[in-house]
Structure formats: structure tokens, C-alpha cells
Amino acid sequence: MSESQPADIGGDSDRCCEPGSCQESMLITTDSIEEFSQEISTSLAEDDSVKNGSAKVEEEKSGGESEEIKTALTGSNITKIQDKLTVADTETEEAMSKSSSFSSAKSRDLATSCTSLVDDGNNTEGLGEPDAEDYLHDPKFLLKKKHVFILSSAGKPIYTMHGNEDKLATLFGVMQALVSFVQSSNDSIKSIHAMGVKFVFLVKSPLILVAISRTSHSVQQVQLQLTDVYNQILSTLTLDNMQKTFERRKNFDLRRLLAGSERLIDHLLVNDKCDHKLVTNNPFSFMTHSVRILPLQPSIRETIIGAIQSNCCKIKNLVFAVLIANNKLIALVRMKKYFIHPADLRLIFNLIECTESFKSGESWTPICLPKFDSSGFLHAHVSYLSEDCQACLLLLSIEKEVFFVLSEAKRKITDKLRRSNCLEAINEAMNNKGVKLQSIGIPEIRHFIYKSKSNAQLLCSELGVPYSSIGQFKRLEGMYFELHHRIHSTGRPVKLIYQMQEKEILLAWVTQAYELFAAFEPTVHRNDVINLVNKLLKWIKKEENSLFILSAPTF
């Protein structure tokens, strides 16, 4: 194995010349690794600015980036929108005062507002009868590749990825004791390594999240996944509600408020259960902290964005309009000065993907986007465009009483897209499984993922032989995660890794503007690898207007 940078592809080019680059993004593009390091380093101090969007990291990284992005990342964004409307219109102030108490309303109305999420919450496949099973002596339980546990700071069980948390009270007690023992020395526990197993901790008071992993994922990558799980809980409860609940009762059983939404956490972790349904969508977006885009002709995407803008621009307090399909983003239109974080979009994708009832009609549900504002709820009108086009449109507002207004806007958007033949174009794109390397003349590349850093968007090739089977895909995923960890290592970061293996050649290349991970046929010569990469980058540049969203449209 060698780690050196060939002269032909060395150095960073001007960002405007890089494939997929854009001057302004609709997404917050803070790198997940640096952002997470900042969060961990300030977690003991309970730094509110980090919790509400990692503003300090963005300021350090953004340099000459838009001042709007920095503004959108600090404080409570929902409160800012309300304050802005108050200054502009006194009548709006009265309307907002009636609808701004959705934090407490969410706790009271959780069962009725999110009935579509209800599930029994049990996950005991292969474990026998829970009442009779001793999990800690069951090989099927102990040898799972990954476990995830959530408990309160007082040691109260909240969630387990496998089994039943009530039967694991002793284990939860041990985990709480370990955290408390280390905290008593004014320190925080990060991980324990024993016999090839990693015990990874993420302490986010009043919660403790623990993963037990036999995978190749690094400690930091596992902690990032635990952060996604933590954000999923906040999306249901909000940080303020959860903290106030535990301030009143330290022994509170949080499962009472999370009842029915355990399936959202299960679904976030579904890739670790080797569910083939999502393997082409979840892990690489998570690894690169980015969003996959549904490829469309630029004229079609412009028509879609125009339809959303023209029918939503006069709706007050509408913050985001998001159109998605197959875990890919089709279009996103936002309120001026406000941006969305890839981690929040993952929560939206997760909600849509695992809620079949959304397909049966229009739904109205509150959702907290923790990176946007962890203290309050947005209210989402959720509906699929039509029976013959399974793309899902979410209209997110800070208002509670605008369901019918948003429903009418959705109807008009769908009518315009049907008249413009956009629905057929979306359906055709949804049937496309990814970039076909044979069709662009580089069959020597087996698979690649490409992230444009300036817009946090991801491009993946189709999963072909030999990675089309679940076992081989998991092997490829593991290799990519190892490369990603090594290239982003805080102790010894590198820009390029060229790795020769028995079954393939691997390449990881990170520049100021993009990240590229690729697997080649094992017979490809090193010099040919360089030429093939250059050919791929030229093709991506040529097709970038179809493969990426290069604008940041607003209402």
C-alpha cells in the first residue's frame, strides 16, 4: 500500500472550476468531522451556540461566506422569524402569539399529531421470548455487530436497538455507573476497547447514548451516528421540552413521550441490520455529511422550483419547501437568510421513508429540526404529489393553523408540474439507480462517490458487480469508511490514499473543493488510475447542471 499524491492530480484547483461547485448553497456546508470535534470539546460547558447550529465552527470555516449563513446559525431561528415579523407587522404579532406555544402543545398532542408513527417498539427478532430470555447469556444477542442503547443520566432505560430494555436494567446501570465515575474526575468517557469490540459513549445531558460495535467504523464515526440518533429524539421532543422534563423529575421514563417513535430510531440504524432496501442511500450520505440529488435536466428542475416559488411566495411564515424522492433531493426552496443542515435533511428523509401512511393522504405533523432550531417545532404539511408520481413534498411553516393554505398550494404546484410534464421526468429519474460507468466509457471504475464541498451534495454510481450483493456492498462500505477515517484523521490527515488490494484498487482523494472515493478493477495500472479519475471528473463537470442543484432559491 502506498500513500502518495501523483503529480497529475495534485493540488487544489480554483473552486469555480471544480465539478458541482457553486457560489451559494441552500445547505449549511460545515464539515461533519470538524463540527463534531467542536461539539465534543464544548459539551461539558453546555455551549448553546454549538447546540443551535454550530455557529462558531461555521464562522471559523466560512471566511468570505455569506453573512446570512452565519446569522442563521445562532440563537433560536424560529424566534428570529417571529421577531422579524413582529417588527414588520403588528397584526402578525397577535397571530404569532396564538401559535408560538407549539413546544408544550407538542408534548400534549404527540399521540394525536403523529399517529402515523405508532409502532409497538419491540425489536426482538431471533431472541426468543423476551420474558424468558436472558439476553446477557444469549449468543445471538451478544454477537450482534452493533448495539445502541439510550438511557437517562439517572440510569433510566430509554431504548435498545436489539431486545427489550426492561430486561437489560443491569446493563444500563453499569453504563450509567461508568459515565458517572469518569465525570466524578471532571472528565468525560469517550470509548472502551476490548477483544476487538468498541464501546462508544456520547453524553448529551440529560441523555447517555452508548454503542457497542464490532464494525470497522471508527470511534468518531460511531459517535456521529449516535449524534444522529440524539437528533432524532430532539426532532420528536425538542431540547427545551426534554431538559425541562428531567429538571422536574430526574427519574422520568422518557419512553412515555417517545412512545411510537422508536421506529424512527430503528430506521436510522436500519443499515446496520443489513436491510437491502436502503443500502444504496443511507451510509454514504451519512459518511460524507451530504445529500444525494435526484438527477434531472436543468430545465425540468427550474420548472419545479418555479412552481414552488410562484405558489408559495405569498404564504407568510413558510420556512422551507422540500421535494424528495427515493431519499434524494429534487428541490429545496427556503426563506431568505435561513438555511438547512444536511443532518436535518437526514431526519426528514428518515421520517418520510419509514412512514407508509403518508402515502394515503395529506398529513400535518410537527417536527423539530435540531440544527435549525432545537428549541421549537416547525409544522409540516406532508403529501405525495400524486398517485402516479411518488415524490413527496414537505411545506414547513412556523404557523399551526395553515394546513388548508398549504394544501391548496400543494394542489396548484402538482397541477403546474403535470401540465409541464415534470411528473413524468421525475418518475423516469426515480427509476435510475445511479451513474452507469459503462455508459460514460470508464468500466474500469467499479464504483465511486463524489462530494462537492461547496454545496454538501453527493453523487454515487450505480452498484454493479461485484458490489450488488448485500455482503459485497457491506465490504465496500467498510473500506470506504476506513478510508474516510484515515484521510480525515486529526492526528495525521492526508490528501490522497492509493491502496492496492487483492480484489480491487481503492482511491481516496480530498481537495479544498471536493472528496472522491473510488474502487477500481484490480488489474488497472497506477498511471491509468490517474487518467480514469481525470476522465470521471471531466464528465461530472460536463453534466453538473443535471447532477447537482447549483442555486439557492428562496421564496
Side-chain angles (χ1 to χ4, degrees):
M1 178 185 69
S2 63
E3 297 182 14
S4 59
Q5 186 164 327
D8 298 70
I9 59 174
D12 292 341
S13 303
D14 185 9
R15 176 166 289 193
C16 67
C17 300
E18 303 294 354
S21 62
C22 63
Q23 294 299 315
E24 182 181 33
S25 174
M26 61 202 164
L27 303 175
I28 293 172
T29 57
T30 305
D31 184 79
S32 59
I33 300 298
E34 295 183 25
E35 179 182 4
F36 183 69
S37 298
Q38 177 75 3
E39 288 188 9
I40 291 297
S41 66
T42 57
S43 61
L44 293 177
E46 297 292 330
D47 191 324
D48 289 336
S49 66
V50 175
K51 289 181 182 177
N52 289 321
S54 302
K56 290 185 177 180
V57 179
E58 187 66 27
E59 289 174 5
E60 291 171 3
K61 285 174 57 61
S62 58
E65 288 212 34
S66 168
E67 192 68 28
E68 292 181 351
I69 296 181
K70 300 177 186 178
T71 302
L73 283 170
T74 45
S76 170
N77 282 322
I78 292 176
T79 302
K80 287 180 184 178
I81 296 171
Q82 293 172 342
D83 290 344
K84 181 179 179 182
L85 292 169
T86 299
V87 172
D89 189 344
T90 338
E91 293 180 2
T92 303
E93 178 184 6
E94 297 177 3
M96 293 300 298
S97 65
K98 296 177 183 178
S99 63
S100 61
S101 58
F102 37 76
S103 291
S104 57
K106 166 65 174 171
S107 298
R108 295 194 303 267
D109 301 335
L110 183 63
T112 54
S113 300
C114 296
T115 53
S116 60
L117 301 181
V118 174
D119 187 44
D120 60 11
N122 292 325
N123 181 14
T124 57
E125 67 273 16
L127 296 178
E129 292 295 328
D131 290 341
E133 194 72 43
D134 182 357
Y135 294 144
L136 298 184
H137 294 88
D138 179 11
K140 291 181 180 178
F141 178 84
L142 296 175
L143 294 178
K144 294 285 186 183
K145 284 199 170 182
K146 179 176 283 187
H147 291 272
V148 172
F149 304 99
I150 306 172
L151 59 151
S152 70
S153 297
K156 195 80 173 179
I158 296 172
Y159 171 86
T160 176
M161 182 178 176
H162 303 290
N164 185 306
E165 57 271 4
D166 286 330
K167 300 296 178 180
L168 293 165
T170 302
L171 183 60
F172 280 103
V174 171
M175 291 185 287
Q176 191 273 339
L178 286 170
V179 172
S180 297
F181 177 77
V182 176
Q183 284 181 337
S184 66
S185 303
N186 294 323
D187 204 347
S188 60
I189 187 169
K190 181 177 180 181
S191 63
I192 300 172
H193 301 254
M195 304 292 290
V197 181
K198 291 185 283 286
F199 300 79
V200 182
F201 294 77
L202 180 67
V203 180
K204 291 275 193 177
S205 182
L207 300 185
I208 298 170
L209 298 93
V210 183
I212 300 175
S213 174
R214 299 175 185 274
T215 69
S216 58
H217 295 178
S218 69
V219 169
Q220 193 171 54
Q221 288 165 347
V222 175
Q223 284 184 316
L224 280 168
Q225 189 172 44
L226 292 178
T227 303
D228 263 10
V229 173
Y230 173 74
N231 287 337
Q232 184 65 73
I233 293 174
L234 296 189
S235 76
T236 304
L237 304 177
T238 79
L239 180 61
D240 284 359
N241 275 343
M242 186 173 65
Q243 288 180 334
K244 289 175 183 177
T245 297
F246 280 105
E247 284 174 6
R248 290 192 296 266
R249 288 181 57 191
K250 291 184 179 180
N251 263 344
F252 183 78
D253 189 348
L254 198 64
R255 289 176 294 181
R256 291 166 53 186
L257 295 181
L258 289 175
S261 60
E262 300 94 337
R263 67 179 301 172
L264 293 171
I265 301 175
D266 287 342
H267 207 262
L268 268 184
L269 302 168
V270 72
N271 193 57
D272 291 302
K273 299 178 185 179
C274 297
D275 187 322
H276 197 273
K277 182 180 178 182
L278 289 182
V279 294
T280 59
N281 294 302
N282 266 349
F284 301 144
S285 295
F286 162 74
M287 181 184 82
T288 56
H289 216 55
S290 56
V291 175
R292 291 188 69 179
I293 306 299
L294 188 74
L296 286 169
Q297 288 298 319
S299 59
I300 296 293
R301 202 181 311 274
E302 288 171 7
T303 300
I304 295 171
I305 292 172
I308 295 173
Q309 287 174 314
S310 61
N311 289 289
C312 295
C313 62
K314 294 182 180 180
I315 302 176
K316 289 185 178 181
N317 308 335
L318 185 63
V319 185
F320 297 114
V322 185
L323 183 61
I324 64 176
N326 290 352
N327 273 326
K328 299 183 184 73
L329 182 65
I330 299 174
L332 191 156
V333 185
R334 60 188 176 83
M335 181 184 284
K336 290 180 180 178
K337 295 187 178 181
Y338 294 94
F339 298 79
I340 197 164
H341 198 286
D344 285 341
L345 270 179
R346 283 202 298 276
L347 297 180
I348 290 175
F349 288 152
N350 190 54
L351 175 66
I352 300 306
E353 186 67 26
C354 69
T355 311
E356 286 292 321
S357 62
F358 284 156
K359 295 181 179 179
S360 61
E362 300 180 15
S363 300
W364 185 243
T365 183
I367 180 173
C368 170
L369 301 180
K371 290 292 186 179
F372 176 74
D373 189 338
S374 64
S375 63
F377 288 97
L378 295 174
H379 296 270
H381 178 278
V382 185
S383 61
Y384 284 77
L385 290 181
S386 65
E387 291 185 2
D388 59 336
C389 183
Q390 292 296 289
C392 187
L393 178 66
L394 295 92
L395 302 174
L396 294 104
S397 171
I398 63 172
E399 291 279 12
K400 291 180 64 176
E401 311 298 335
V402 291
F403 174 87
F404 294 105
V405 174
L406 299 181
S407 177
E408 179 65 12
K410 179 261 178 180
R411 184 189 65 78
K412 292 179 179 179
I413 291 169
T414 301
D415 288 346
K416 184 170 183 179
L417 296 185
R418 189 179 296 282
R419 292 194 304 269
S420 306
N421 297 320
C422 290
L423 300 186
E424 292 86 344
I426 291 173
N427 285 336
E428 184 179 348
M430 287 173 63
N431 292 327
N432 190 339
K433 296 181 180 179
V435 176
K436 293 178 174 58
L437 293 162
Q438 290 275 356
S439 65
I440 61 177
I442 44 177
E444 299 89 348
I445 301 180
R446 289 180 172 179
H447 187 267
F448 78 87
I449 56 176
Y450 174 93
K451 174 192 174 181
S452 172
K453 286 186 175 181
S454 66
N455 57 23
Q457 296 175 25
L458 186 70
L459 177 65
C460 299
S461 63
E462 183 180 23
L463 280 170
V465 177
Y467 307 122
S468 51
S469 69
I470 184 68
Q472 288 298 311
F473 170 80
K474 296 296 289 183
R475 188 175 68 85
L476 176 67
E477 178 197 351
M479 292 187 296
Y480 278 168
F481 267 85
E482 284 190 28
L483 289 173
H484 185 270
H485 171 62
R486 291 178 56 207
I487 214 159
H488 288 283
S489 170
T490 54
R492 186 172 175 257
V494 293
K495 289 188 175 182
L496 187 138
I497 298 175
Y498 175 89
Q499 190 176 81
M500 296 183 65
Q501 296 192 352
E502 181 181 355
K503 295 183 179 180
E504 59 263 302
I505 292 173
L506 298 173
L507 180 76
W509 182 30
V510 176
T511 74
Q512 182 183 358
Y514 61 81
E515 296 182 11
L516 175 68
F517 299 85
F520 299 80
E521 294 288 344
T523 56
V524 174
H525 190 272
R526 176 190 175 101
N527 292 334
D528 292 332
V529 166
I530 298 169
N531 295 331
L532 290 167
V533 167
N534 287 331
K535 187 173 182 179
L536 173 63
L537 294 176
K538 287 178 182 177
W539 178 85
I540 296 174
K541 181 65 179 178
K542 179 183 175 184
E543 302 293 330
E544 64 180 356
N545 288 316
S546 299
L547 302 173
F548 303 101
I549 301 176
L550 301 180
S551 61
T554 60
F555 297 119

